[in-house]
Amino acid sequence: MSNNSALFAWAHNELFGQPTGKDVLEVFPGLTVVEAHRARTAVVEHRVKDGDSLAGYKIASGWSGIPSTEPRAEPIVNSLMHSGIVAHCGEYRFAGAPKVAVEAECAVMLSRDLEGPGITPADVLHAIEGFLPAIEIVPQSPGPRNAPHRTLLGKFTGGIVLGAPLAGKHGLDIALEGAVMRVNGVPRATGTTVNIMGSPLIAVAEIANRLAQAEIGLKAGMVDRKSTRLNSSHGYISYAVFCLKKK
């Protein structure tokens, strides 16, 4: 693989310049997910210098909590920027995406940092302040799907809408919380958060421990997300874990 500066320059051009559409593994053979995380961190730091800020992380493509004979997918962790947070009842504009999905999600507020390795769901529960409803807007385009490519370039587009009110964690089995997706008032899909690796708590622990492999800490004040989808011709149900610092 070439040096880090070359990888950063290539990634920045693919995201914000004149993209070639190539798979990162064609240009940088042997790139690992950990190396992709480190290069993505450099891109995020550059965006911060330009006035944006890091909102948190999302984990996608993980396994469902429902037993299945299908092989487990490799989860992908992506950082998210504050520029992607859309105001409640705000307007989101997009261009160039052949398809846009709107996903109902579950959000979690954290009041403590979670820095792996070794984070467990019990650690996550101890750090949680409460839960919020949320919506993700996801522009979808065809492209390479391998883990290093998605880790490096994924989720720099799209939007997140945070809802209210904040629900406390005590007396709530979060794995049983669910959502119904409606289009013009007509139900199109439904699901519960058990589809998030069995629980959003497991998903957050997975995020913290995977980031630790690249020496990245999961801080309160960030947004952590886990997304799972149900087949539907008009909508998706997915879930997110938002780590927001308590004021």
Side-chain angles (χ1 to χ4, degrees), residues 175-236:
L176 299 181
E177 292 298 302
V180 176
M181 176 67 73
R182 293 183 175 89
V183 178
N184 296 327
V186 180
R188 296 298 186 184
T190 185
T192 61
T193 57
V194 72
N195 285 305
I196 309 171
M197 301 179 175
S199 167
L201 305 179
I202 297 174
V204 177
E206 189 77 11
I207 292 171
N209 292 326
R210 285 179 176 271
L211 290 176
Q213 296 175 10
E215 300 177 337
I216 302 171
L218 180 58
K219 303 288 186 179
M222 293 181 174
V223 179
D224 279 10
R225 310 162 47 77
K226 166 66 179 79
S227 176
T228 60
R229 298 179 179 177
L230 301 181
N231 292 330
S232 170
S233 60
H234 293 86
Y236 298 99

Side-chain angles (χ1 to χ4, degrees), residues 58-62 103 105 136 225-229 238-239:
K58 170 179 179 173
I59 185 169
S61 302
E103 305 175 353
E105 303 181 344
E136 183 182 11
R225 310 162 47 77
K226 166 66 179 79
S227 176
T228 60
R229 298 179 179 177
S238 69
Y239 301 93

Side-chain angles (χ1 to χ4, degrees), residues 94-110:
F94 65 92
K99 182 179 180 181
V100 175
V102 178
E103 305 175 353
E105 303 181 344
C106 171
V108 174
M109 178 179 285
L110 293 188

Side-chain angles (χ1 to χ4, degrees), residues 2-215:
S2 299
N3 58 46
N4 292 336
S5 60
L7 178 59
F8 163 79
W10 182 86
H12 194 273
N13 178 71
E14 293 299 301
L15 290 164
F16 311 111
Q18 297 180 340
T20 65
K22 290 184 177 180
D23 187 330
V24 69
L25 295 182
E26 294 179 27
V27 185
F28 299 93
L31 181 73
T32 67
V33 168
V34 170
E35 290 169 334
H37 270 303
R38 290 172 178 160
R40 187 184 178 97
T41 298
V43 174
V44 168
E45 290 172 350
H46 191 271
R47 298 296 293 171
V48 169
K49 291 179 181 179
D50 286 341
D52 206 344
S53 58
L54 178 64
Y57 294 88
K58 170 179 179 173
I59 185 169
S61 302
W63 56 88
S64 169
I66 307 300
S68 172
T69 58
E70 297 294 325
R72 286 184 172 183
E74 178 70 14
I76 304 295
V77 175
N78 290 129
S79 53
L80 300 168
M81 307 304 292
H82 270 109
S83 58
I85 296 179
V86 181
H88 183 62
C89 295
E91 187 176 87
Y92 176 77
R93 296 175 181 270
F94 65 92
K99 182 179 180 181
V100 175
V102 178
E103 305 175 353
E105 303 181 344
C106 171
V108 174
M109 178 179 285
L110 293 188
S111 56
R112 296 182 53 195
D113 296 348
L114 289 169
E115 298 190 59
I119 295 296
T120 68
D123 296 325
V124 175
L125 183 61
H126 186 59
I128 283 178
E129 181 67 21
F131 302 92
L132 294 165
I135 293 173
E136 183 182 11
I137 305 166
V138 189
Q140 299 177 322
S141 301
R145 304 294 294 172
N146 62 73
H149 189 96
R150 295 176 64 195
T151 298
L152 179 60
L153 301 183
K155 297 303 173 186
F156 274 103
T157 60
I160 305 158
V161 183
L162 292 174
L166 177 71
K169 64 183 178 182
H170 300 292
L172 178 66
D173 186 347
I174 188 57
L176 299 181
E177 292 298 302
V180 176
M181 176 67 73
R182 293 183 175 89
V183 178
N184 296 327
V186 180
R188 296 298 186 184
T190 185
T192 61
T193 57
V194 72
N195 285 305
I196 309 171
M197 301 179 175
S199 167
L201 305 179
I202 297 174
V204 177
E206 189 77 11
I207 292 171
N209 292 326
R210 285 179 176 271
L211 290 176
Q213 296 175 10
E215 300 177 337

